[in-house]
mmCIF file of all heavy atoms in Angstrom:
data_model
loop_
_atom_site.group_PDB
_atom_site.id
_atom_site.type_symbol
_atom_site.label_atom_id
_atom_site.label_comp_id
_atom_site.label_asym_id
_atom_site.label_seq_id
_atom_site.Cartn_x
_atom_site.Cartn_y
_atom_site.Cartn_z
ATOM 1 N N ARG T 75 -0.383 5.320 -2.645
ATOM 2 C CA ARG T 75 -1.455 6.303 -2.831
ATOM 3 C C ARG T 75 -1.367 6.994 -4.181
ATOM 4 O O ARG T 75 -2.394 7.222 -4.850
ATOM 5 C CB ARG T 75 -1.435 7.341 -1.701
ATOM 6 C CG ARG T 75 -1.886 6.780 -0.371
ATOM 7 C CD ARG T 75 -2.053 7.849 0.697
ATOM 8 N NE ARG T 75 -0.800 8.475 1.104
ATOM 9 C CZ ARG T 75 -0.017 8.028 2.087
ATOM 10 N NH1 ARG T 75 -0.360 6.960 2.766
ATOM 11 N NH2 ARG T 75 1.090 8.662 2.394
ATOM 12 N N ASN T 76 -0.170 7.335 -4.607
ATOM 13 C CA ASN T 76 -0.022 7.966 -5.903
ATOM 14 C C ASN T 76 -0.304 7.005 -7.044
ATOM 15 O O ASN T 76 -0.937 7.393 -8.031
ATOM 16 C CB ASN T 76 1.417 8.543 -6.038
ATOM 17 C CG ASN T 76 1.564 9.877 -5.340
ATOM 18 O OD1 ASN T 76 1.188 10.875 -5.913
ATOM 19 N ND2 ASN T 76 2.070 9.849 -4.126
ATOM 20 N N LEU T 77 0.132 5.765 -6.917
ATOM 21 C CA LEU T 77 -0.213 4.785 -7.942
ATOM 22 C C LEU T 77 -1.685 4.548 -8.018
ATOM 23 O O LEU T 77 -2.240 4.330 -9.124
ATOM 24 C CB LEU T 77 0.526 3.464 -7.670
ATOM 25 C CG LEU T 77 2.037 3.502 -7.923
ATOM 26 C CD1 LEU T 77 2.667 2.191 -7.425
ATOM 27 C CD2 LEU T 77 2.326 3.670 -9.396
ATOM 28 N N ARG T 78 -2.386 4.580 -6.904
ATOM 29 C CA ARG T 78 -3.835 4.446 -6.892
ATOM 30 C C ARG T 78 -4.460 5.526 -7.755
ATOM 31 O O ARG T 78 -5.382 5.270 -8.545
ATOM 32 C CB ARG T 78 -4.361 4.512 -5.456
ATOM 33 C CG ARG T 78 -5.830 4.213 -5.314
ATOM 34 C CD ARG T 78 -6.277 4.259 -3.838
ATOM 35 N NE ARG T 78 -5.484 3.319 -3.054
ATOM 36 C CZ ARG T 78 -4.855 3.634 -1.929
ATOM 37 N NH1 ARG T 78 -4.930 4.843 -1.437
ATOM 38 N NH2 ARG T 78 -4.189 2.731 -1.257
ATOM 39 N N ALA T 79 -3.968 6.754 -7.612
ATOM 40 C CA ALA T 79 -4.477 7.861 -8.433
ATOM 41 C C ALA T 79 -4.140 7.676 -9.912
ATOM 42 O O ALA T 79 -4.973 7.960 -10.778
ATOM 43 C CB ALA T 79 -3.928 9.190 -7.898
ATOM 44 N N GLU T 80 -2.960 7.206 -10.217
ATOM 45 C CA GLU T 80 -2.540 7.063 -11.605
ATOM 46 C C GLU T 80 -3.189 5.843 -12.283
ATOM 47 O O GLU T 80 -3.540 5.921 -13.469
ATOM 48 C CB GLU T 80 -1.022 6.887 -11.665
ATOM 49 C CG GLU T 80 -0.226 8.117 -11.312
ATOM 50 C CD GLU T 80 1.262 7.906 -11.365
ATOM 51 O OE1 GLU T 80 1.713 6.965 -12.047
ATOM 52 O OE2 GLU T 80 1.974 8.688 -10.704
ATOM 53 N N LEU T 81 -3.311 4.748 -11.571
ATOM 54 C CA LEU T 81 -3.755 3.503 -12.216
ATOM 55 C C LEU T 81 -5.260 3.244 -12.029
ATOM 56 O O LEU T 81 -5.799 2.353 -12.695
ATOM 57 C CB LEU T 81 -2.947 2.322 -11.648
ATOM 58 C CG LEU T 81 -1.436 2.381 -11.908
ATOM 59 C CD1 LEU T 81 -0.746 1.217 -11.231
ATOM 60 C CD2 LEU T 81 -1.144 2.351 -13.414
ATOM 61 N N GLY T 82 -5.898 3.965 -11.177
ATOM 62 C CA GLY T 82 -7.320 3.754 -10.927
ATOM 63 C C GLY T 82 -8.166 3.871 -12.177
ATOM 64 O O GLY T 82 -9.085 3.072 -12.394
ATOM 65 N N ALA T 83 -7.871 4.830 -13.006
ATOM 66 C CA ALA T 83 -8.622 5.011 -14.255
ATOM 67 C C ALA T 83 -8.450 3.818 -15.190
ATOM 68 O O ALA T 83 -9.272 3.591 -16.082
ATOM 69 C CB ALA T 83 -8.203 6.294 -14.940
ATOM 70 N N LYS T 84 -7.369 3.086 -15.000
ATOM 71 C CA LYS T 84 -7.097 1.897 -15.840
ATOM 72 C C LYS T 84 -7.605 0.620 -15.184
ATOM 73 O O LYS T 84 -7.256 -0.475 -15.588
ATOM 74 C CB LYS T 84 -5.594 1.799 -16.124
ATOM 75 C CG LYS T 84 -5.091 3.003 -16.909
ATOM 76 C CD LYS T 84 -3.590 2.925 -17.106
ATOM 77 C CE LYS T 84 -3.139 4.175 -17.848
ATOM 78 N NZ LYS T 84 -1.701 4.234 -18.024
ATOM 79 N N LYS T 85 -8.396 0.800 -14.121
ATOM 80 C CA LYS T 85 -9.046 -0.319 -13.401
ATOM 81 C C LYS T 85 -8.040 -1.192 -12.642
ATOM 82 O O LYS T 85 -8.274 -2.367 -12.404
ATOM 83 C CB LYS T 85 -9.891 -1.181 -14.303
ATOM 84 C CG LYS T 85 -10.930 -0.410 -15.090
ATOM 85 C CD LYS T 85 -11.967 0.156 -14.163
ATOM 86 C CE LYS T 85 -13.086 0.804 -15.010
ATOM 87 N NZ LYS T 85 -13.750 1.852 -14.340
ATOM 88 N N VAL T 86 -6.895 -0.620 -12.278
ATOM 89 C CA VAL T 86 -5.932 -1.329 -11.437
ATOM 90 C C VAL T 86 -6.112 -0.775 -10.011
ATOM 91 O O VAL T 86 -5.917 0.413 -9.765
ATOM 92 C CB VAL T 86 -4.481 -1.128 -11.893
ATOM 93 C CG1 VAL T 86 -3.503 -1.809 -10.937
ATOM 94 C CG2 VAL T 86 -4.294 -1.653 -13.307
ATOM 95 N N ARG T 87 -6.553 -1.641 -9.115
ATOM 96 C CA ARG T 87 -6.752 -1.246 -7.727
ATOM 97 C C ARG T 87 -5.394 -1.377 -6.998
ATOM 98 O O ARG T 87 -4.706 -2.385 -7.136
ATOM 99 C CB ARG T 87 -7.768 -2.164 -7.036
ATOM 100 C CG ARG T 87 -9.139 -2.040 -7.658
ATOM 101 C CD ARG T 87 -10.147 -2.895 -6.950
ATOM 102 N NE ARG T 87 -9.835 -4.325 -7.089
ATOM 103 C CZ ARG T 87 -10.704 -5.285 -6.918
ATOM 104 N NH1 ARG T 87 -11.953 -5.015 -6.542
ATOM 105 N NH2 ARG T 87 -10.353 -6.537 -7.056
ATOM 106 N N VAL T 88 -5.021 -0.339 -6.296
ATOM 107 C CA VAL T 88 -3.734 -0.330 -5.567
ATOM 108 C C VAL T 88 -4.064 -0.248 -4.067
ATOM 109 O O VAL T 88 -4.735 0.673 -3.628
ATOM 110 C CB VAL T 88 -2.837 0.815 -5.994
ATOM 111 C CG1 VAL T 88 -1.514 0.773 -5.240
ATOM 112 C CG2 VAL T 88 -2.599 0.751 -7.491
ATOM 113 N N SER T 89 -3.586 -1.226 -3.313
ATOM 114 C CA SER T 89 -3.779 -1.278 -1.876
ATOM 115 C C SER T 89 -2.429 -1.305 -1.182
ATOM 116 O O SER T 89 -1.435 -1.751 -1.731
ATOM 117 C CB SER T 89 -4.569 -2.513 -1.489
ATOM 118 O OG SER T 89 -5.816 -2.550 -2.143
ATOM 119 N N VAL T 90 -2.422 -0.866 0.065
ATOM 120 C CA VAL T 90 -1.238 -0.946 0.878
ATOM 121 C C VAL T 90 -1.677 -1.480 2.253
ATOM 122 O O VAL T 90 -2.635 -1.020 2.834
ATOM 123 C CB VAL T 90 -0.479 0.399 1.000
ATOM 124 C CG1 VAL T 90 -1.330 1.480 1.642
ATOM 125 C CG2 VAL T 90 0.833 0.214 1.737
ATOM 126 N N ILE T 91 -0.960 -2.474 2.713
ATOM 127 C CA ILE T 91 -1.216 -3.085 4.038
ATOM 128 C C ILE T 91 -0.156 -2.526 4.992
ATOM 129 O O ILE T 91 1.041 -2.556 4.674
ATOM 130 C CB ILE T 91 -1.139 -4.614 3.957
ATOM 131 C CG1 ILE T 91 -2.217 -5.122 2.997
ATOM 132 C CG2 ILE T 91 -1.292 -5.225 5.344
ATOM 133 C CD1 ILE T 91 -2.070 -6.595 2.665
ATOM 134 N N GLU T 92 -0.607 -2.048 6.140
ATOM 135 C CA GLU T 92 0.316 -1.436 7.123
ATOM 136 C C GLU T 92 0.166 -2.188 8.444
ATOM 137 O O GLU T 92 -0.504 -1.705 9.370
ATOM 138 C CB GLU T 92 0.047 0.056 7.294
ATOM 139 C CG GLU T 92 0.324 0.857 6.038
ATOM 140 C CD GLU T 92 0.020 2.316 6.196
ATOM 141 O OE1 GLU T 92 -0.745 2.692 7.091
ATOM 142 O OE2 GLU T 92 0.573 3.108 5.419
ATOM 143 N N PRO T 93 0.798 -3.376 8.569
ATOM 144 C CA PRO T 93 0.723 -4.095 9.846
ATOM 145 C C PRO T 93 1.314 -3.307 11.008
ATOM 146 O O PRO T 93 2.131 -2.408 10.819
ATOM 147 C CB PRO T 93 1.556 -5.358 9.610
ATOM 148 C CG PRO T 93 1.782 -5.425 8.132
ATOM 149 C CD PRO T 93 1.628 -4.021 7.614
ATOM 150 N N GLY T 94 0.899 -3.673 12.224
ATOM 151 C CA GLY T 94 1.432 -3.041 13.414
ATOM 152 C C GLY T 94 2.827 -3.480 13.778
ATOM 153 O O GLY T 94 3.418 -4.326 13.104
ATOM 154 N N LEU T 95 3.374 -2.879 14.818
ATOM 155 C CA LEU T 95 4.726 -3.187 15.251
ATOM 156 C C LEU T 95 4.766 -4.494 16.042
ATOM 157 O O LEU T 95 3.814 -4.840 16.753
ATOM 158 C CB LEU T 95 5.250 -2.046 16.129
ATOM 159 C CG LEU T 95 5.428 -0.703 15.458
ATOM 160 C CD1 LEU T 95 5.845 0.349 16.477
ATOM 161 C CD2 LEU T 95 6.411 -0.800 14.309
ATOM 162 N N LEU T 96 5.874 -5.171 15.964
ATOM 163 C CA LEU T 96 6.100 -6.414 16.699
ATOM 164 C C LEU T 96 7.350 -6.212 17.563
ATOM 165 O O LEU T 96 8.203 -5.408 17.255
ATOM 166 C CB LEU T 96 6.317 -7.583 15.761
ATOM 167 C CG LEU T 96 5.146 -7.958 14.863
ATOM 168 C CD1 LEU T 96 5.581 -9.015 13.884
ATOM 169 C CD2 LEU T 96 3.978 -8.436 15.707
ATOM 170 N N ASP T 97 7.459 -6.981 18.594
ATOM 171 C CA ASP T 97 8.631 -6.962 19.447
ATOM 172 C C ASP T 97 9.706 -7.846 18.813
ATOM 173 O O ASP T 97 9.674 -9.063 18.923
ATOM 174 C CB ASP T 97 8.273 -7.430 20.851
ATOM 175 C CG ASP T 97 9.412 -7.253 21.835
ATOM 176 O OD1 ASP T 97 10.329 -6.472 21.540
ATOM 177 O OD2 ASP T 97 9.364 -7.887 22.911
ATOM 178 N N THR T 98 10.627 -7.215 18.074
ATOM 179 C CA THR T 98 11.713 -7.939 17.415
ATOM 180 C C THR T 98 13.046 -7.304 17.767
ATOM 181 O O THR T 98 13.122 -6.276 18.451
ATOM 182 C CB THR T 98 11.542 -7.909 15.891
ATOM 183 O OG1 THR T 98 11.732 -6.565 15.431
ATOM 184 C CG2 THR T 98 10.178 -8.430 15.470
ATOM 185 N N GLU T 99 14.125 -7.878 17.266
ATOM 186 C CA GLU T 99 15.460 -7.323 17.536
ATOM 187 C C GLU T 99 15.639 -5.945 16.895
ATOM 188 O O GLU T 99 16.529 -5.211 17.300
ATOM 189 C CB GLU T 99 16.547 -8.303 17.003
ATOM 190 C CG GLU T 99 16.609 -8.489 15.533
ATOM 191 C CD GLU T 99 15.619 -9.514 15.000
ATOM 192 O OE1 GLU T 99 14.887 -10.154 15.788
ATOM 193 O OE2 GLU T 99 15.579 -9.688 13.774
ATOM 194 N N LEU T 100 14.801 -5.593 15.934
ATOM 195 C CA LEU T 100 14.882 -4.276 15.353
ATOM 196 C C LEU T 100 14.644 -3.168 16.405
ATOM 197 O O LEU T 100 15.231 -2.105 16.316
ATOM 198 C CB LEU T 100 13.848 -4.119 14.220
ATOM 199 C CG LEU T 100 13.855 -2.825 13.429
ATOM 200 C CD1 LEU T 100 15.190 -2.632 12.719
ATOM 201 C CD2 LEU T 100 12.723 -2.815 12.444
#
């Protein structure tokens, strides 16, 4: 989110993908 604010004016789009939880050993 902060990089989006900093780099947006330079035409760099910053996205973050937040997948859901999975049933793993974690």
Side-chain angles (χ1 to χ4, degrees):
R75 288 189 293 271
N76 279 278
L77 288 171
R78 186 177 304 128
E80 291 178 22
L81 298 175
K84 297 176 182 177
K85 306 293 186 208
V86 177
R87 297 182 294 199
V88 181
S89 301
V90 62
I91 299 170
E92 295 178 340
L95 297 175
L96 297 173
D97 188 17
T98 68
E99 66 277 358
L100 184 62

